[in-house]
Amino acid sequence: MQANQVNHKMIVLGRESRELTQSGLSRITKIAQGTLSKIEAGILSCPVDLLQKISNALEYPVSFFYMTSPLHGIGTESHHHLYRKRAAIPSKTIKRIEADINIKRIHLENMLSSFDIDCEKSIPFLDPQEFDSDIERIAGSLRSYWNIPSGPIENLTELIEQAGGIVILHDFGSDRVDATSLKITGLPPLFFVNKNLPGDRLRFTLAHELGHVVMHSIPHPNVENEADRFAAEFLMPAADIGHMLSRIDLAKAAKLKPYWKTSMAAIIYRAHELGKITQNQYRYLFYQLSASGYKTSEPKNLDIKKEIPSVHSAMLDFLRDDLGYSQEDLMRLFNIFQRDFSKHYLQSTDSGRLRVVK
């Protein structure tokens, strides 16, 4: 596609990011749906006057629709499935989330052109077939590769960033989705995690997505189970936690939570997974969790401090403070207006610990 040609896929992306149907956009712009359908399909080119109407309706600058970066769909080898996606989530919400992630990923690509990220480690690909599908051995291998000592991981977000990943606390606009991750050639691994997750759930979710990035290049029916197994062993290695799980009850799970920085529910599930409690004991403990109200919200005095990513905000800080980008410059770089800039970037104020160089 030529640089001066409207990208019909960006029209679809912009529309879906606003949760609009094609007929809905047609009504707002007064463009016949047949014409709009052909433009979105790439059959008709988009005249300047119609593009301006679309731009006004979707609240994106005209330049947004000329961007040519490839788009990636959820559930592909590049873009992993939404984690803990509830069955009731509407299709238009899924499309909006996919569009938002693609747009924010394009912003990152634009920023990364000014950076080299210097890190001593990397996030390797460890093919389960080469490990005889022993997912737990893969988790242990990564801990060894990253020189993680036995016991709990102090800060998982920091580990991933030190290995070249970029973690983003993202507003999915829904509490029905916890995370997704992207592994795209030429880009660092990207981890989008729901910013509203409590600290313990955020860590397990991030470990789950790390499992996808480490193990999965081609989607298959068992990827979610494998990622959960990876997360459990990576955060709570059987050799380290096993002896602590005998005679587990709610009080003991509550005592172990601040040490392992995982939820009481995850600790109880781990005890069952490792054969430390029977199926009946497991069911009873989860009944107790539910009866106590802990299945949806565990005791506040046991809250795990949320890990705050630093690399993404450090990149923004560098563009602003070192390269002299104003807010208006950043909006032009990202091809967005104030509405979207405020939504995605005005809360990014944390300074980074990872060295980011021009």
Side-chain angles (χ1 to χ4, degrees):
M1 179 175 292
Q2 296 177 0
N4 61 350
Q5 184 177 338
V6 174
N7 184 350
H8 60 96
K9 293 180 180 179
M10 292 303 297
I11 295 176
V12 178
L13 192 76
R15 172 174 61 76
E16 290 181 343
S17 77
R18 305 305 190 205
E19 292 197 12
L20 274 175
T21 60
Q22 193 179 81
S23 61
L25 182 58
S26 172
R27 285 193 298 272
I28 295 170
T29 58
K30 309 301 182 186
I31 300 172
Q33 187 176 352
T35 301
L36 191 57
S37 175
K38 292 173 185 176
I39 289 172
E40 288 192 354
I43 296 171
L44 287 180
S45 60
C46 186
V48 173
D49 59 329
L50 297 192
L51 183 62
Q52 188 62 60
K53 289 182 179 181
I54 293 169
S55 171
N56 294 340
L58 298 180
E59 296 184 63
Y60 286 112
V62 168
S63 58
F64 175 91
F65 303 99
Y66 287 90
M67 293 194 293
T68 58
S69 180
L71 306 180
H72 301 274
I74 291 171
T76 65
E77 63 181 275
S78 298
H79 190 161
H80 295 114
H81 289 283
L82 298 178
Y83 181 45
R84 287 182 178 158
K85 175 177 70 68
R86 280 57 170 183
I89 191 166
S91 173
K92 67 178 182 179
T93 303
I94 293 289
K95 289 180 179 179
R96 192 259 304 154
I97 290 172
E98 183 177 288
D100 283 349
I101 295 295
N102 267 294
I103 290 168
K104 207 158 185 178
R105 187 259 309 158
I106 293 171
H107 297 173
L108 275 162
E109 287 181 355
N110 291 344
M111 283 196 288
L112 283 165
S113 64
S114 296
F115 295 90
D116 291 320
I117 298 180
D118 183 31
C119 52
E120 297 177 358
K121 304 174 184 176
S122 65
I123 300 177
F125 177 69
L126 303 175
D127 191 339
Q129 290 187 357
E130 295 181 5
F131 286 78
D132 298 322
S133 296
D134 188 338
I135 306 303
E136 289 70 22
R137 189 154 64 94
I138 292 175
S141 294
L142 184 60
R143 284 181 68 110
S144 297
Y145 176 64
W146 281 356
N147 297 315
I148 300 172
S150 59
I153 290 173
E154 181 64 27
N155 190 315
L156 177 59
T157 300
E158 189 176 76
L159 272 179
I160 289 173
E161 291 186 326
Q162 288 174 346
I166 297 179
V167 180
I168 300 158
L169 296 183
H170 180 67
D171 183 3
F172 284 91
S174 172
D175 61 0
R176 298 175 179 179
V177 175
D178 283 0
T180 191
S181 53
L182 289 83
K183 185 169 57 176
I184 299 168
T185 301
L187 289 179
L190 306 178
F191 301 83
F192 291 84
V193 186
N194 192 320
K195 69 176 187 178
N196 297 316
L197 292 179
D200 53 358
R201 191 160 141 198
L202 185 148
R203 278 168 56 91
F204 195 92
T205 297
L206 191 52
H208 175 102
E209 293 303 319
L210 176 62
H212 280 314
V213 170
V214 168
M215 298 186 297
H216 299 140
S217 59
I218 300 175
H220 61 79
N222 206 34
V223 293
E224 295 303 310
N225 175 262
E226 288 183 351
D228 273 342
R229 286 171 57 192
F230 173 93
E233 178 66 19
F234 193 71
L235 293 176
M236 300 173 283
D240 299 334
I241 198 175
H243 69 282
M244 301 181 181
L245 300 177
S246 300
R247 301 180 184 277
I248 193 80
D249 57 17
L250 293 195
K252 192 169 185 180
K255 187 176 180 180
L256 290 173
K257 176 175 178 173
Y259 180 72
W260 289 99
K261 299 185 180 182
T262 54
S263 68
M264 293 167 63
I267 289 167
I268 292 168
Y269 187 87
R270 190 70 171 139
H272 178 250
E273 191 176 43
L274 297 178
K276 301 299 181 179
I277 54 175
T278 66
Q279 180 70 16
N280 286 339
Q281 289 172 319
Y282 170 71
R283 287 176 179 170
Y284 179 65
L285 286 171
F286 263 81
Y287 165 78
Q288 287 184 306
L289 279 175
S290 182
S292 302
Y294 297 161
K295 200 168 181 182
T296 53
S297 180
E298 296 186 359
K300 291 295 181 185
N301 65 311
L302 297 177
D303 280 354
I304 304 302
K305 186 177 180 181
K306 186 177 294 188
E307 298 175 359
I308 304 299
S310 62
V311 172
H312 186 227
S313 54
M315 292 169 68
L316 287 164
D317 289 345
F318 185 79
L319 286 172
R320 185 187 65 239
D321 300 336
D322 292 76
L323 300 188
Y325 276 68
S326 66
Q327 182 173 309
E328 290 70 27
D329 292 332
L330 290 171
M331 288 162 58
R332 283 192 288 271
L333 178 67
F334 299 151
N335 293 296
I336 54 176
F337 288 137
Q338 182 68 50
R339 163 188 173 176
D340 291 303
F341 188 85
S342 298
K343 174 183 176 182
H344 293 297
Y345 297 109
L346 286 189
Q347 294 182 354
S348 297
T349 58
D350 301 283
S351 295
R353 292 183 294 277
L354 182 66
R355 183 165 66 92
V356 184
V357 295
K358 185 175 178 182

